[in-house]
Amino acid sequence: MNDRLSSFQAIDNFRDYGGYATGGGRMARSLLYRSAHQARATDKDLEQLGRLNIAHVVDLRRPSERRAQPSRRPTGWAGQVVESDHDDGREAPHITFLKTADLTEDSGRAFMGETYRRLPFEPAHLDLFGRYFRALSERRGPVLIHCAAGKDRTGLLAALTHSLLGVAWDDIMADYLLTNMAVDLEGRAEEVTRKLTQMTGRSASHGAVVTFLGVEAAYLDQAFAAITARHGSVATYLEQALGVDDVMADRVRERLTA
């Protein structure tokens, strides 16, 4: 098992995304964590989570997702939650896709590519990503970022963090692709396929569900290509779209680089 991955009873895809080499040193460990949601966390999970002394939780989910699956927190936890009130009243796009689309491997990849090209520019993400970087620059203590599955919105934000710190692209991609090791895709696909059939009355192929549950390098490539096409570079996107100016960037680097 990769030493970045932490095993919980009912919190998926939990891992430390620090520790990578940067242009000026190495990221510290035990300051940056990422995961799926904590709605199903057991009491034992909450005790384990509490021992990490997390000071800030950045919940990237929509309000409707948070209402459907409210987070559980460790007893006595007094940290700060960063979340967005942006709500267009619709269900999450991935839920609509699963309910209505022709579920094939090709359709899953097409949907994910479209999603990643859109993610960096959605108002809720611009708000949350900017507030996350401000929290990193202004406050101390470990941070946990998560969405529903901890792979797409979370994966993009972790990759942007690595980019700001000067982590090599191969390491950025390796961290992103760890989802495929952290999650039992084959086992989870059986459960999801059953739920989809119950929800829609239609069946999806095993391969299509595995494709949807995992991540592929092409997805993150498309997000960064969209950022570069619109802003010229990731650094310019961070500054123009998220408000991460040179002073803030230097503070983040100082805090997170050992």
Side-chain angles (χ1 to χ4, degrees):
M1 182 175 177
N2 188 290
D3 69 349
R4 295 182 176 280
L5 306 180
S6 296
S7 178
F8 286 81
Q9 292 179 328
I11 302 177
D12 294 330
N13 207 2
F14 197 104
R15 60 191 193 262
D16 186 327
Y17 63 103
Y20 292 102
T22 68
R26 183 169 293 274
M27 294 175 66
R29 294 290 295 265
S30 304
L31 283 179
L32 296 174
Y33 297 102
R34 52 177 292 183
S35 76
H37 69 78
Q38 298 96 58
R40 295 192 301 267
T42 65
D43 290 343
K44 183 176 180 180
D45 286 340
L46 295 180
E47 291 176 5
Q48 183 177 343
L49 201 59
R51 290 192 290 270
L52 299 177
N53 297 313
I54 291 169
H56 312 284
V57 174
V58 181
D59 188 338
L60 300 171
R61 296 176 300 167
R62 291 166 169 244
S64 59
E65 293 175 279
R66 300 198 305 270
R67 289 191 295 269
Q69 295 183 310
S71 297
R72 298 195 69 200
R73 310 287 185 208
T75 302
W77 186 75
Q80 179 189 39
V81 178
V82 176
E83 58 191 20
S84 174
D85 292 329
H86 287 271
D87 194 346
D88 58 13
R90 296 180 298 176
E91 65 186 355
H94 65 280
I95 298 298
T96 302
F97 170 79
L98 291 173
K99 286 181 178 179
T100 62
D102 181 20
L103 298 178
T104 67
E105 293 183 40
D106 287 344
S107 70
R109 288 191 175 97
F111 171 78
M112 295 308 297
E114 177 187 350
T115 296
Y116 272 80
R117 292 190 295 273
R118 185 184 68 245
L119 279 180
F121 313 113
E122 292 187 337
H125 300 145
L126 294 174
D127 171 47
L128 286 168
F129 291 4
R131 290 163 62 197
Y132 157 80
F133 281 111
R134 284 195 294 277
L136 289 184
S137 70
E138 296 172 355
R139 301 178 179 90
R140 299 292 173 180
V143 175
L144 169 64
I145 63 175
H146 76 90
C147 50
K151 68 187 186 76
D152 301 317
R153 292 166 284 189
T154 298
L156 175 58
L157 185 53
L160 290 171
T161 307
H162 290 146
S163 182
L164 172 66
L165 295 171
V167 174
W169 180 252
D170 285 351
D171 286 336
I172 293 175
M173 186 61 74
D175 185 86
Y176 171 74
L177 292 174
L178 268 179
T179 284
N180 296 334
M181 179 185 295
V183 178
D184 178 11
L185 300 180
E186 293 290 334
R188 182 64 56 81
E190 296 180 9
E191 172 191 356
V192 171
T193 300
R194 286 195 300 271
K195 288 182 177 179
L196 282 173
T197 301
Q198 293 171 359
M199 182 171 60
T200 68
R202 299 179 296 120
S203 60
S205 71
H206 180 79
V209 175
V210 169
T211 297
F212 186 78
L213 291 176
V215 294
E216 298 184 6
Y219 304 158
L220 191 62
D221 284 338
Q222 290 181 71
F224 273 68
I227 287 170
T228 301
R230 185 174 298 193
H231 289 277
S233 69
V234 174
T236 304
Y237 165 79
L238 290 169
E239 181 175 8
Q240 293 180 345
L242 305 184
V244 183
D245 59 18
D246 290 342
V247 173
M248 186 186 296
D250 285 344
R251 287 176 180 166
V252 172
R253 295 185 187 105
E254 181 180 0
R255 181 191 168 199
L256 297 180
T257 304

